[in-house]
Amino acid sequence: MKYAYTILYVEDVKKTMSFYENAFGFQNKFITPEHDYGELLSGETTIAFASHSLGNSNLKKGFKQLSIHEEPNGIEMAFTTENIETDFKNALAVGAVEYESITQKPWGQKVGYLRDINGFLIEICTPIKH
């Protein structure tokens, strides 16, 4: 078995993909002609987005739609970088919201938290040095 996708359900797939391209440098891998599903080139595991309407058609029992105006869910995506301060500021400049400022952890790693334009929690961190 292999972990293949993380799919985030969002209001506007095309707008969200554009945000991730501009904020983090990921590239568009695929988007449906209806713009209700799209994938980014993001490394080993694909980050994908599906519209709320597609989510409602796939998940007959429903799902909780995330809001930037509520506390984030207890899950995050983590992106590693050697240029944390620059990348953190760049994401803020294109619409991310700071959730926790960058701090240095006792093991030497730097970590900061953002929320994307939909309210999803994103950790920006330096790689852990072993």
Side-chain angles (χ1 to χ4, degrees):
M1 187 172 298
K2 182 178 178 181
Y3 183 34
Y5 300 91
T6 296
I7 301 173
L8 306 175
Y9 290 94
V10 300
E11 185 66 35
D12 187 323
V13 171
K14 190 173 180 181
K15 181 178 176 182
T16 300
M17 289 183 65
S18 178
F19 167 79
Y20 276 78
E21 289 170 20
N22 293 321
F24 307 112
F26 297 128
Q27 294 179 331
N28 182 330
K29 177 180 175 184
F30 168 79
I31 190 164
T32 62
E34 302 81 13
H35 296 157
D36 62 352
Y37 178 81
E39 299 176 355
L40 294 172
L41 292 170
S42 56
E44 184 75 21
T45 302
T46 299
I47 300 171
F49 304 98
S51 67
H52 289 154
S53 60
L54 183 58
N56 286 325
S57 71
N58 290 339
L59 305 169
K60 304 294 188 226
K61 294 181 181 179
F63 64 95
K64 181 182 184 245
Q65 294 181 12
L66 194 58
S67 168
I68 191 72
H69 306 291
E70 298 173 2
E71 284 185 326
N73 288 336
I75 187 169
E76 66 180 60
M77 290 187 294
F79 304 145
T80 58
T81 178
E82 296 290 347
N83 304 306
I84 188 168
E85 287 84 3
T86 300
D87 292 337
F88 199 86
K89 286 178 188 174
N90 184 55
L92 293 172
V94 297
V97 176
E98 185 175 304
Y99 196 68
E100 298 286 343
S101 61
I102 298 170
T103 59
Q104 180 104 21
K105 298 295 185 180
W107 52 89
Q109 184 184 37
K110 289 184 179 179
V111 176
Y113 295 89
L114 303 168
R115 294 190 70 191
D116 81 355
I117 59 173
N118 302 287
F120 290 101
L121 190 59
I122 298 169
E123 176 183 329
I124 306 293
C125 60
T126 57
I128 295 175
K129 307 287 187 209
H130 295 283

